[in-house]
Amino acid sequence: MADTVHDDVNRRDFLMIATGAAAGVGAVLTAWPFVHQMNPDQAVLALATTQVDLAPIAEGQAVTIKWRGNPVLIRHRTKPEIDLAKGVAMADLKDPVSRNANAKDGSEATDENRVVGGKEQFLIMMGVCTHLGCVPDGANPLREFAVVEGSEKTGGWFCPCHGSQYDTAGRIRKGPAPENLAVPPYKYLSDTKIQIG
């Protein structure tokens, strides 16, 4: 009789473990479609990187492209705009950190740390104000940062929502925005072509 009791205990333990394992597998198989649907679809993955040809962007011209659903500002800066950005003292900056995904964390917000060396004429940055997420406007030059180039004034970006003002390197100079405009991760594929992301 002792053997029968022992056999019943082993059989009961086996049935409990097998039932628990089957329930666990069933739960995973049931949950998988719900978890999988949260993964980004192919259209989103295709937007993870984007390539831009900079050759058609004339000196002094700015274009806005979309990357990951956000605007990216690309400006072909003029020499006076570059000189103006390089001439800013670090003590005059509201945010001293470069906010550049391509630079070392915590690097200073010098103009050199906001662009790629040797290609400083192209400024590439996110077009999202760091205050409340509005899109700054660079079409109307700012008087505060303006320099005269011929008869045309050039300047930085202005966020019309709450008055944040960014200079010709995209650094916050006035207004409620707490940080410089972020520079996205990008690299040059050739002299005139970049890949963002």
Side-chain angles (χ1 to χ4, degrees), residues 106 109 118 153 155 174-175:
K153 286 186 178 180
K174 290 184 179 178

Side-chain angles (χ1 to χ4, degrees), residues 13 17 65 67 72 82-83 86 153 190:
D13 290 344
I17 292 170
I65 64 156
W67 174 63
V72 175
I82 296 168
D83 292 342
K86 286 183 176 180
K153 286 186 178 180
S190 69

